[in-house]
Amino acid sequence: METLRQIVVFVHLIGFATLFGAWAVEAFGGQRRFTRLMQIGLAIAGVAGLILAAPWGLAEGADMNYAKIGTKLVVLLIIGALLGIGSARQRRGDAVAPALFWGVGVLTLLNAGIALLWG
């Protein structure tokens, strides 16, 4: 069971890397637009994160940190909202607002930081 949990953690990291990598390519490439790959990365990270939030594969007597899980879920939902709003503006032909674009990158890093630093 622990091996399966580690595989899901790996998939979760792949989702994060896809989201942040696609964002970084756009940020440093000068386009500053949202791509389908960002949405795919968000979906992978979100689904894998929800699977990890289930209390399976933990050691006997281990407790779940529901405050951490809830915080990460809220940040994930905000990232999704920013991506959705920015993508809708792009489809209309408008430019993505800088606050939306940079917010996705900062919140993605914040979510990774919460995962790593929150005990």
Side-chain angles (χ1 to χ4, degrees), residues 21-113:
W23 177 86
V25 165
E26 296 300 319
F28 297 112
Q31 295 292 320
R32 295 196 175 85
R33 60 188 170 93
F34 292 139
T35 64
R36 182 79 177 131
L37 194 56
M38 291 179 197
Q39 295 170 351
I40 291 169
L42 180 71
I44 292 169
V47 169
L50 289 174
I51 292 170
L52 289 171
W56 56 277
L58 294 176
E60 188 84 21
D63 291 328
M64 298 290 291
N65 189 342
Y66 292 109
K68 176 181 174 180
I69 293 169
T71 303
K72 285 181 58 64
L73 181 60
V74 167
V75 173
L76 179 84
L77 291 174
I78 294 170
I79 294 169
L82 294 178
L83 277 174
I85 292 167
S87 296
R89 287 184 179 183
Q90 276 182 194
R91 281 192 295 273
R92 285 193 316 237
D94 297 339
V96 175
L100 291 177
F101 182 79
W102 292 104
V104 168
V106 169
L107 289 173
T108 301
L109 285 179
L110 174 69
N111 224 4

